[in-house]
Amino acid sequence: MNIVVVDDCKSFVDEFCIIIKNCCENKNIDYKIEALYDGYSLLENYRKYHLIFLDIDMPMLNGIKVCEEINKRKGTADVQYIIFVTSKDNMVFKALKQRPYSFIRKSELFNDVFDCIGLIYSKLRNANNDYIIKSGRDFVVLNLDDVLYLEKDKNYVIFYSNQLTYKERSNMDDKYADLGNRGFIRIHIGCIVNAKHISVFETNRVVLDCGKEFIVSKKYKDIAKKNYYDWLVKKYA
C-alpha cells in the first residue's frame, strides 16, 4: 500500500509516519510511506498513492482545495482514499463537502490511524482492482474499472479513461499478459479493450459505452469473441 502524509509541520509528519509504520508492521501490511509538506506537491503526484493523509489547514493551498481538485480529476473512483487530518473541529463540516473517506484527529492519532489503515487495506485487497503503471517519472495507481481501452503508440502503451490518458513505455504483449485475466480483451495487435465498457460486440467491430468504435482484426476475432463470451458467462453466473 502506497501511503503519503501531507502536512506543513515537519515534526508532526515525522511523528505520524512512525505511527503509520508501526501500524502497518503490526498488521503485516506491505507499505511505502512518503512525506510531502504542501498541497501543490501532492497534486503533481497524487496518482501514485492508495492512501493520502491530508492536513486540512495548510498555507497557500489548504487540504480542502487540494481534495476538491483531486476529486475533479479522479471522478467517482475510490482510489485514492483521502483522510483529512485536523486539530480544528470547526473546519470539519466545510471539509465534508469534498467527500473524504474519513477524518483523523491529531489528538487521537494512534487510535484513529490503526482503525483507518486496517479498513482501507481490507477494501484494497477485496477490490483487487488497482493497477500500477510507470508514466514518465511517476508511478500511477489506476482503477481498472475506469480504463476504457489501451492502444499501442510506437514503444509506448496509452491507457485511456473517461477523464485522463496515461502513457507507459511498454508493449501490448506484456500488458495483455497482465490484464487478459482481468476483463480486458485484445481485438487487434495494437488495441485492448475493457469488457466492462463494451456496449456492442459484432463480428468485425466493437463499440464502447463512450461511443468509441474499433475494428476487430481477422487474426483476433475468434479468440476475442470467445474471451468476451467467457467474460459474460462469469459476470452473470
Side-chain angles (χ1 to χ4, degrees):
M1 185 159 62
N2 294 329
I3 303 169
V4 64
V5 177
V6 188
D7 196 295
D8 59 306
C9 178
K10 187 177 187 304
S11 61
F12 170 76
V13 171
D14 291 343
E15 175 191 357
F16 197 5
C17 286
I18 291 172
I19 293 173
I20 294 171
K21 176 178 179 291
N22 291 338
C23 172
C24 290
E25 291 179 354
N26 179 268
K27 294 178 177 291
N28 295 315
I29 296 172
D30 291 330
Y31 68 95
K32 179 180 179 182
I33 305 174
E34 294 185 28
L36 298 173
Y37 303 101
D38 64 85
Y40 292 106
S41 297
L42 175 62
L43 287 177
E44 291 175 1
N45 293 297
Y46 77 91
R47 298 181 189 91
K48 65 193 285 191
Y49 306 111
H50 296 100
L51 174 55
I52 298 169
F53 289 103
L54 180 59
D55 184 27
I56 293 179
D57 188 25
M58 293 188 293
M60 300 195 314
L61 188 65
N62 67 37
I64 296 174
K65 290 293 185 182
V66 174
C67 186
E68 181 180 8
E69 182 60 30
I70 291 175
N71 282 335
K72 287 179 183 177
R73 298 181 187 183
K74 75 185 184 74
T76 59
D78 288 333
V79 179
Q80 291 65 35
Y81 288 97
I82 297 176
I83 312 297
F84 278 135
V85 183
T86 186
S87 59
K88 298 185 176 181
D89 293 343
N90 63 315
M91 300 187 73
V92 169
F93 292 106
K94 185 177 181 182
L96 279 171
K97 294 180 181 179
Q98 299 309 321
R99 309 185 310 279
Y101 179 77
S102 187
F103 287 86
I104 284 181
R105 300 159 292 175
K106 289 187 176 182
S107 60
E108 296 290 338
L109 271 184
F110 188 84
N111 293 326
D112 287 355
V113 77
F114 264 65
D115 291 340
C116 187
I117 286 179
L119 286 170
I120 289 176
Y121 183 64
S122 295
K123 279 180 168 287
L124 289 170
R125 288 190 66 186
N126 291 334
N128 193 29
N129 205 38
D130 58 310
Y131 186 68
I132 300 174
I133 66 170
K134 191 171 189 293
S135 185
R137 296 181 178 180
D138 298 324
F139 287 94
V140 178
V141 182
L142 300 181
N143 184 316
L144 289 180
D145 282 347
D146 295 333
V147 177
L148 302 172
Y149 62 97
L150 292 69
E151 280 190 322
K152 174 182 169 59
D153 180 16
K154 297 181 181 178
N155 294 324
Y156 292 87
V157 173
I158 304 177
F159 290 72
Y160 290 86
S161 72
N162 278 320
Q163 284 91 25
L164 297 167
T165 61
Y166 307 94
K167 181 182 284 191
E168 181 182 36
R169 190 174 182 86
S170 185
N171 62 75
M172 298 300 278
D173 289 341
D174 287 346
K175 294 297 99 177
Y176 191 60
D178 286 347
L179 300 172
N181 63 349
R182 301 180 71 175
F184 284 76
I185 298 171
R186 194 169 189 176
I187 58 172
H188 62 69
I189 194 167
C191 183
I192 299 169
V193 298
N194 188 344
K196 293 180 180 178
H197 292 284
I198 294 175
S199 60
V200 175
F201 195 111
E202 297 177 344
T203 304
N204 297 314
R205 72 177 186 126
V206 165
V207 181
L208 302 186
D209 51 18
C210 64
K212 183 76 173 178
E213 182 173 335
F214 299 94
I215 298 298
V216 180
S217 74
K218 184 177 180 180
K219 176 180 178 180
Y220 287 94
K221 68 177 183 179
D222 290 339
I223 187 64
K225 186 175 182 180
K226 178 182 183 304
N227 288 341
Y228 184 56
Y229 176 80
D230 290 344
W231 178 84
L232 287 173
V233 169
K234 290 179 182 178
K235 178 181 178 182
Y236 293 108

